[in-house]
């Protein structure tokens, strides 16, 4: 009986340890906790944020820019010895317009197409594509913006859209089709330093429902634990 108890206790501890480890994912040095929750107790799955993004729109209405990811699931120490940066472009103005002149009003430009590349940058090694994405269009729009002006001055500027994963080290974790209209990611940006409607700096967030395929799911671990228990019981019977 003591042997059985010890075996069961060991199996339980091993399963518990595996469950706790299963929540932590490491891809190319970038880590995140899939079991993380926000201050209100809601599951984060994967939520990234950036305090630094620069967006420009050229004369042809094509939106592009760069940024640095500053946190994942409320954790700023997610990339030991590395950084995550991103670039984006190819978002073409499809409907609506940008303000010009001494105007007051709310403008709602929408963009089609687009791409976003997230790169993991190492101190002593070449940068690697961590996640490659393209715009996911809903009713012809992959990105919708809002620009509020007063007497020709932009007072507020923000936008959001959706993306599909197409490649990169972490692609298998995010190609889940679980966000808006079956997209893999939704994102949003708020601009706090607005030089013009075509040139702005700000911050943003991006969220996704993730899946973990390289480590056991809790249900699988529970089944494995039951298997160990059954094996221990079987051996005990044979020993009698």
């Amino acid at each position: 009986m003591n042997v059985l108890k010890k075996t069961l206790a060991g199996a339980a501890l091993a399963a518990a340890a595996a469950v706790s480890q299963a929540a932590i994912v490491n891809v190319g040095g970038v880590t995140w906790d899939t079991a993380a929750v926000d201050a209100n107790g809601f599951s984060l799955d994967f939520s990234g944020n950036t305090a630094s993004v620069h967006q420009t729109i050229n004369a042809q209405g094509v939106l592009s820019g760069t940024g640095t990811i500053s946190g994942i699931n409320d954790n700023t120490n997610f990339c030991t010895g590395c950084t995550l940066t991103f670039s984006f472009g190819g978002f073409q103005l499809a409907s609506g317009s940008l303000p010009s002149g001494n105007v007051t009003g709310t403008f709602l430009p929408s963009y089609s197409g687009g791409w976003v590349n997230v790169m993991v940058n190492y101190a002593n090694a070449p940068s690697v594509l961590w996640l490659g994405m393209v715009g996911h269009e809903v009713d012809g729009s992959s990105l919708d913006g809002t620009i509020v002006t007063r007497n020709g001055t932009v007072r507020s500027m923000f936008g959001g859209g959706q993306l599909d994963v197409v490649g990169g080290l972490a692609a298998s974790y995010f190609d889940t089709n679980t966000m808006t209209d079956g997209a893999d990611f939704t994102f949003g940006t708020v601009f706090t330093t607005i030089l013009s409607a075509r040139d702005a700096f700000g911050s943003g967030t991006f969220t996704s429902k993730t899946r973990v395929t390289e480590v056991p799911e809790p249900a699988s671990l529970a089944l494995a634990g039951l298997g160990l228990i059954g094996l221990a019981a079987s051996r005990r019977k044979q020993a009698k």
Side-chain angles (χ1 to χ4, degrees):
M1 180 62 72
N2 288 337
V3 173
L4 177 60
K5 287 182 178 180
K6 290 181 180 179
T7 301
L8 294 178
L13 288 173
V19 169
S20 66
Q21 293 173 359
I24 305 299
V25 180
N26 186 324
V27 181
V30 179
T31 62
W32 72 95
D33 184 356
T34 60
V37 296
D38 64 15
N40 298 313
F42 293 104
S43 174
L44 290 173
D45 284 328
F46 185 96
S47 178
N49 60 76
T50 172
S52 173
V53 58
H54 179 205
Q55 172 182 296
T56 61
I57 305 172
N58 67 17
Q60 290 71 46
V62 178
L63 182 152
S64 62
T66 59
T68 300
I69 296 172
S70 54
I72 294 178
N73 287 3
D74 293 336
N75 176 25
T76 58
N77 298 315
F78 61 89
C79 199
T80 303
C82 56
T83 59
L84 271 185
T85 59
F86 61 93
S87 58
F88 56 95
F91 290 92
Q92 175 67 57
L93 184 64
S95 64
S97 61
L98 300 174
S100 62
N102 189 27
V103 296
T104 296
T106 299
F107 296 79
L108 303 172
S110 291
Y111 299 82
S112 60
W115 54 266
V116 178
N117 286 335
V118 180
M119 306 294 295
V120 56
N121 312 286
Y122 306 102
N124 299 306
S127 299
V128 177
L129 178 65
W130 196 76
L131 202 59
M133 296 169 283
V134 296
H136 177 105
E137 295 185 5
V138 178
D139 296 328
S141 172
S142 55
L143 168 61
D144 296 312
T146 299
I147 304 172
V148 179
T149 66
R150 182 181 298 172
N151 298 324
T153 300
V154 179
R155 297 294 185 179
S156 65
M157 185 173 170
F158 53 91
Q162 47 285 324
L163 299 164
D164 289 325
V165 171
V166 294
L169 291 178
S172 64
Y173 290 91
F174 299 108
D175 187 11
T176 57
N177 307 320
T178 53
M179 303 303 284
T180 302
D181 190 54
D184 298 319
F185 270 91
T186 60
F187 66 94
T189 306
V190 177
F191 293 97
T192 51
T193 302
I194 305 170
L195 305 180
S196 71
R198 293 180 177 272
D199 191 357
F201 295 81
S203 61
T205 60
F206 50 97
T207 60
S208 175
K209 295 291 184 181
T210 67
R211 63 181 176 187
V212 179
T213 56
E214 276 72 16
V215 295
E217 295 289 347
S220 300
L221 291 168
L223 291 175
L226 289 175
L228 289 172
I229 292 171
L231 178 62
S234 175
R235 288 181 175 176
R236 179 171 176 268
K237 287 181 179 179
Q238 292 175 2
K240 288 184 176 179

